[in-house]
């Protein structure tokens, strides 16, 4: 009888223990061997923890990265799909990329990837450090290969909140083939002279919301690229950098499309461009239904610009007379100061930009003694109110 009772007790404890494990949804990387001293490669520990998180059946399993530590990670991929319909990546500490000298010789072009993860929520107020300075030295902009820091591919329902991201070797965050994404309260920064360090690049994605964030880098704060639609950017402080851009589109004669973009309540300070649409010669497709409103510019070069001659290297296609068609673009309540005299530039192709509307636009020179001007070609539309005057567009009465 005693043996039977002992067996029953042991069995009951085993059941309770297993239930405790099954009910826990928090997977701490330290429990999987992560050190967090900024010197030891913690990649294997992170991937072991991720495998358990992704395989968990509980609601909202969480990969927990404690604060107060720096985790050196080699290039790695957090692969889905996962069993739970929501997965949390709770980053409290700092993730640090290898330096250029430590980067593996396997041709990997991305540092941290999330692939095929539905309902991913990256939170926790931690930090991504791309250690990009060693990559920038001697780099002739696009002529040298450098890794993207954070790449999301096919992650529908993605949320990212409260992160800091600094000094990527190349672009900081890329979103590809993702739908229903919310980014908020991000702080992305790199030096003004760091080459091609875009803040957020979007491609082949829909229903994207980027809000309440600061982005100051060496390239576009946000770039909206081919295949993107229903993009909403709100309450962003941008600068330094190259502004908020649609494109570039049509590189190497490609068919590219972007539509339904709304940018509002943004401040652009000391940027190389303001709100920009850029396309390559020789490409074809369209960019349409785009609204920029309630935009403040402070000492920005090229505050409003459509540039359909983004590169001097035109791509010669067999099909002539086709270009990226830019249409239905509204600039409403755009105010501030320009660092160069060409405050408004519509440099459109022979396909013509159509239905370009300026409504309550007021841009003056940073230096009070100088006068801003508008230059344009191949553009149609109307002006409700604009300073400087845009003579190539009809005036609405």
């Amino acid at each position: 009888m005693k043996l039977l009772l002992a067996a029953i007790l042991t069995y009951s404890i085993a059941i309770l223990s297993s239930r405790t494990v099954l009910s826990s949804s928090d997977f701490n990387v330290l429990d999987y061997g992560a050190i967090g001293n900024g010197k030891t490669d913690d990649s294997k520990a992170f991937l072991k923890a991720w495998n358990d998180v992704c395989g968990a059946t509980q609601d909202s399993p969480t990969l927990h990265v404690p604060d107060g530590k720096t985790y050196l990670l080699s290039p790695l991929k957090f692969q889905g799909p996962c069993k739970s319909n929501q997965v949390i990546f709770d980053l409290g500490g700092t993730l640090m990329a290898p330096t250029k000298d430590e980067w593996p010789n396997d041709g990997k072009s991305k540092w941290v990837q999330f692939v095929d993860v539905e309902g991913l929520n990256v939170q926790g107020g931690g930090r991504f450090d791309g250690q990009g300075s060693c990559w920038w030295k001697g780099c002739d902009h696009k002529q040298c290969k450098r890794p993207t820091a954070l790449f999301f591919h096919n992650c529908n329902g993605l949320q990212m909140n409260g992160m800091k991201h600094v000094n990527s070797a190349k672009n900081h965050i890329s979103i590809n083939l993702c739908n229903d994404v919310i980014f908020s309260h991000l702080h992305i920064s790199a030096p003004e002279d760091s080459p091609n360090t875009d803040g957020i690049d979007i491609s082949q994605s829909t229903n994207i919301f980027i809000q309440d964030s600061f982005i100051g880098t060496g390239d576009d704060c946000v770039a909206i690229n081919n295949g993107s639609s229903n993009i909403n950017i709100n309450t962003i402080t941008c600068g330094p950098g190259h502004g908020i851009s649609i494109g570039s589109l049509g590189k190497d004669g490609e068919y590219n499309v972007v539509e339904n973009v709304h940018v509002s309540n943004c401040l652009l300070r000391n940027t190389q461009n303001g709100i920009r649409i850029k396309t390559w010669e020789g490409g074809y497709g369209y960019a349409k239904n785009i609204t920029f409103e309630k935009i403040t510019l402070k000492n920005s070069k090229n505050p409003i610009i459509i540039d359909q001659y983004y590169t001097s290297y035109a791509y010669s296609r067999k099909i002539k007379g086709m270009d990226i068609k830019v249409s239905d673009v509204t600039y409403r309540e755009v105010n501030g100061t320009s660092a160069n005299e060409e405050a408004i530039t519509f440099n459109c192709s022979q396909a013509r930009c159509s239905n370009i509307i300026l409504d309550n636009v007021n841009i003056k020179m940073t230096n009070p003694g100088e006068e801003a001007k508008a230059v344009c070609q191949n553009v149609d539309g109307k002006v409700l109110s604009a300073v400087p005057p845009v003579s190539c567009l009809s005036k609405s009465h």
Side-chain angles (χ1 to χ4, degrees), residues 7-322:
I8 292 172
L9 179 61
T10 301
Y11 179 69
S12 299
I13 291 172
I15 290 176
L16 288 172
S17 298
S18 65
R19 284 177 178 172
T20 301
V21 171
L22 290 173
S23 65
S24 173
S25 61
D26 187 77
F27 299 82
N28 191 320
V29 294
L30 298 180
D31 296 334
Y32 290 82
I35 304 301
N37 62 6
K39 298 178 180 179
T40 305
D41 188 347
D42 288 323
S43 302
K44 290 182 179 179
F46 272 68
L47 289 176
K48 286 179 183 178
W50 175 259
N51 286 337
D52 284 354
V53 169
C54 198
T57 56
Q58 304 97 317
D59 291 336
S60 304
T62 301
L63 189 148
H64 181 58
V65 184
D67 60 8
K69 292 180 176 291
T70 298
Y71 305 86
L72 176 64
L73 298 182
S74 293
L76 77 173
K77 181 189 293 184
F78 296 110
Q79 180 71 56
C82 298
K83 291 185 177 180
S84 178
N85 59 12
Q86 184 183 45
V87 176
I88 298 173
F89 192 98
D90 184 32
L91 176 59
T94 295
L95 303 187
M96 189 170 70
T99 64
K100 184 178 181 180
D101 292 338
E102 297 168 337
W103 195 264
N105 296 318
D106 53 9
K108 289 184 178 177
S109 61
K110 301 173 181 68
W111 173 36
V112 177
Q113 300 182 65
F114 291 90
V115 178
D116 301 333
V117 184
E118 298 280 327
L120 174 65
N121 187 343
V122 182
Q123 63 178 38
R127 173 183 170 111
F128 294 85
D129 184 350
Q131 294 211 95
S133 60
C134 55
W135 294 85
W136 306 328
K137 294 176 182 177
C139 180
D140 186 18
H141 293 271
K142 297 180 181 179
Q143 301 303 315
C144 56
K145 294 182 179 180
R146 290 159 291 141
T148 295
L150 183 57
F151 182 74
F152 297 100
H153 175 80
N154 194 32
C155 293
N156 297 326
L158 167 67
Q159 296 184 50
M160 190 174 183
N161 177 60
M163 296 290 104
K164 290 184 178 179
H165 200 141
V166 300
N167 297 335
S168 175
K170 195 180 176 185
N171 42 330
H172 286 76
I173 301 173
S174 287
I175 307 167
N176 179 252
L177 283 174
C178 297
N179 302 318
D180 304 317
V181 174
I182 301 175
F183 281 0
S184 61
H185 299 98
L186 304 183
H187 189 283
I188 303 172
S189 62
E192 184 176 5
D193 60 354
S194 58
N196 309 114
T197 52
D198 297 39
I200 301 173
D201 287 346
I202 305 166
S203 61
Q204 301 286 349
S205 299
T206 62
N207 298 328
I208 309 297
F209 292 84
I210 302 172
Q211 58 194 23
D212 302 319
S213 297
F214 169 85
I215 306 173
T217 67
D219 211 298
D220 294 324
C221 292
V222 181
I224 302 164
N225 296 305
N226 177 44
S228 299
S229 62
N230 300 327
I231 311 298
N232 291 273
I233 300 170
N234 184 57
T235 321
I236 300 297
T237 297
C238 167
H242 293 186
I244 296 174
S245 296
I246 313 294
S248 61
L249 303 177
K251 183 180 180 180
D252 296 332
E254 293 177 349
Y255 174 78
N256 285 178
V257 298
V258 167
E259 61 184 323
N260 302 333
V261 177
H262 189 249
V263 181
S264 61
N265 299 296
C266 294
L267 168 64
L268 292 89
R269 182 189 290 115
N270 299 322
T271 53
Q272 294 296 312
N273 298 280
I275 41 182
R276 174 169 61 160
I277 299 173
K278 51 180 176 174
T279 72
W280 292 59
E281 289 184 84
Y284 64 112
Y286 59 81
K288 64 181 182 180
N289 297 332
I290 299 163
T291 299
F292 301 100
E293 68 175 333
K294 296 182 179 178
I295 306 295
T296 300
L297 303 130
K298 292 188 177 181
N299 195 43
S300 292
K301 295 180 180 177
N302 309 313
I304 292 176
I305 180 169
I306 298 177
D307 182 7
Q308 296 214 261
Y309 300 93
Y310 176 59
T311 174
S312 59
Y313 300 99
Y315 181 84
S316 298
R317 293 181 297 109
K318 293 180 180 179
I319 303 173
K320 299 295 183 181
M322 296 180 66

